[in-house]
Amino acid sequence: MSARSPDQDRTAPTDAVRREPFGTTAEGREVERFTLASTSGITITVLSFGGAIQSIMAPDRRGMLADVTLGYDTLAEYERDKSYLGALVGRCANRIRAGRFSLDGRDYTLARNAGGNHLHGGKRGFNKAVWNVEPFEERGDVGLVLEHVSPDGDEGYPGTLRVRVSYRLTANAELQIDFHATTDAATPVNLTQHAYFNLAGTGSGDILGHELELSASRFTPVDETLIPTGELRSVRGTPFDFSTSEAIGARIESDDEQLRLAGGYDHNFVVDRNGTGELALAARLTEPVSGRGIDIHTTEPGMQFYTGNFLDGTVAGKGGIPHRYRSGLALETQHFPNSPNEPSFPSTILRPGAEHRSRTVYHFVTRG
Ligand code: BGC
């Protein structure tokens, strides 16, 4: 097994990283699956297709393992997927109004794939790319470096973008995700990981009993096409206030215009932080029956909280079990949706010579 990695102090992978074929895409590209096993008891499988996290085995408070993320058993299902299950998302996560933006006096038109808007990088976003993947093991951590080159004009975006993502699983039950990108022409970049969690175990029911705490005093309300209006609105006194831990289902059906527009939670929260660019605790998720939890730290300014409102049971996942309405939730660390059209939002523009860097850490814990 070859170990090619950007950092020099990495050593060759051992049997804590397993590499195996996962099939061939419709276009004839070979896809592999990697299994990262850590001494913490967490085991994660990742596909070179979309860089997708296919499964996460995590112990409950009694040590019982369950797979806590939604996914599929076969490559063909990942090729058909429209829900971005577990995938790396880019060039820009979430929506860009009408697939249009202007940059340095030029107008750009992107692929429109969501009711006239651009969503998650377009018709063939990074979630449908076959990434170049190399495993590594370093000081007790196991991980993968994934690389993808998005050509100039890809889904309408300017410039050749070189993207590198690393997944590092630590002995402390943390999955650290690092995003890196460079470009040869100015372009918006907004990368995220689109895992759907169900901490009771995928296929076991809905996520309404999960408890969530968000470090977010404000969120970005949306219009009827789910594009932020540009306002940063206080969560206080609304069903969007997760400043103390609340069951996700407690207020999801309340009479609230924003919940009605999105059919539940599908909103970007503004992460509270002291200073910019530092890792900050953004979310704490707990499933009270099993005691499984995830703490999410990020350097990103936003977090899209999505309650699986578009999952409708028509598509089956692992073990043939349908992905039913609200059977998984996503907490996607990112810049705000539609940033290229909102000068008041933190900028997503990457220029030649600069580096895009961001980090998100999922810490798998048990509570109670
Ligand atoms: C978006 C949803 C979308 C889902 C799957 C989420 O990130 O916020 O609106 O339906 O991804 O595409």
Side-chain angles (χ1 to χ4, degrees), residues 117-339:
N117 292 323
H118 176 83
L119 174 66
H120 290 332
K123 294 182 174 140
R124 277 193 77 83
F126 295 179
N127 59 307
K128 300 293 184 199
V130 179
W131 294 63
N132 179 47
V133 186
E134 292 298 338
F136 67 85
E137 182 171 354
E138 184 186 63
R139 291 189 290 267
D141 300 342
V142 285
L144 303 170
V145 176
L146 299 90
E147 290 177 324
H148 173 58
V149 179
S150 165
D152 182 28
D154 196 8
E155 300 291 315
Y157 286 103
T160 304
L161 188 76
R162 295 179 178 280
V163 188
R164 191 172 76 223
V165 177
S166 93
Y167 290 124
R168 173 186 289 261
L169 183 61
T170 73
N172 189 29
E174 290 173 336
L175 178 64
Q176 180 179 306
I177 308 172
D178 280 298
F179 298 91
H180 180 268
T182 55
T183 185
D184 62 5
T187 178
V189 180
N190 188 5
L191 306 172
T192 194
Q193 217 303 326
H194 207 302
Y196 288 70
F197 296 110
N198 184 326
L199 299 182
T202 182
S204 68
D206 67 47
I207 46 72
L208 298 177
H210 284 50
E211 293 164 0
L212 181 66
E213 187 179 334
L214 293 175
S215 313
S217 316
R218 294 168 300 168
F219 75 111
T220 53
V222 293
D223 68 14
E224 61 287 346
T225 72
L226 301 184
I227 297 281
T229 60
E231 180 190 352
L232 305 186
R233 186 180 291 175
S234 169
V235 297
R236 184 168 297 192
T238 77
F240 291 79
D241 189 346
F242 286 92
S243 54
T244 56
S245 188
E246 287 280 354
I248 289 168
R251 298 163 299 175
I252 200 169
E253 299 300 346
S254 50
D255 183 20
D256 176 276
E257 188 209 16
Q258 283 297 313
L259 288 173
R260 248 191 333 269
L261 284 171
Y265 296 102
D266 191 354
H267 295 80
N268 168 66
F269 287 74
V270 180
V271 177
D272 292 335
R273 64 173 71 248
N274 306 317
T276 51
E278 300 297 319
L279 265 183
L281 178 67
R284 290 167 75 99
L285 180 68
T286 309
E287 197 285 302
V289 179
S290 64
R292 293 191 191 91
I294 307 180
D295 295 342
I296 302 180
H297 285 76
T298 188
T299 59
E300 286 291 331
M303 157 104 51
Q304 183 80 11
F305 170 41
Y306 170 56
T307 42
N309 313 309
F310 293 114
L311 301 177
D312 61 6
T314 55
V315 177
K318 286 175 277 194
I321 301 174
H323 289 138
R324 294 203 177 82
Y325 187 50
R326 296 180 176 161
S327 59
L329 67 95
L331 290 163
E332 305 151 58
T333 55
Q334 55 180 46
H335 276 52
F336 307 169
N338 198 37
S339 287

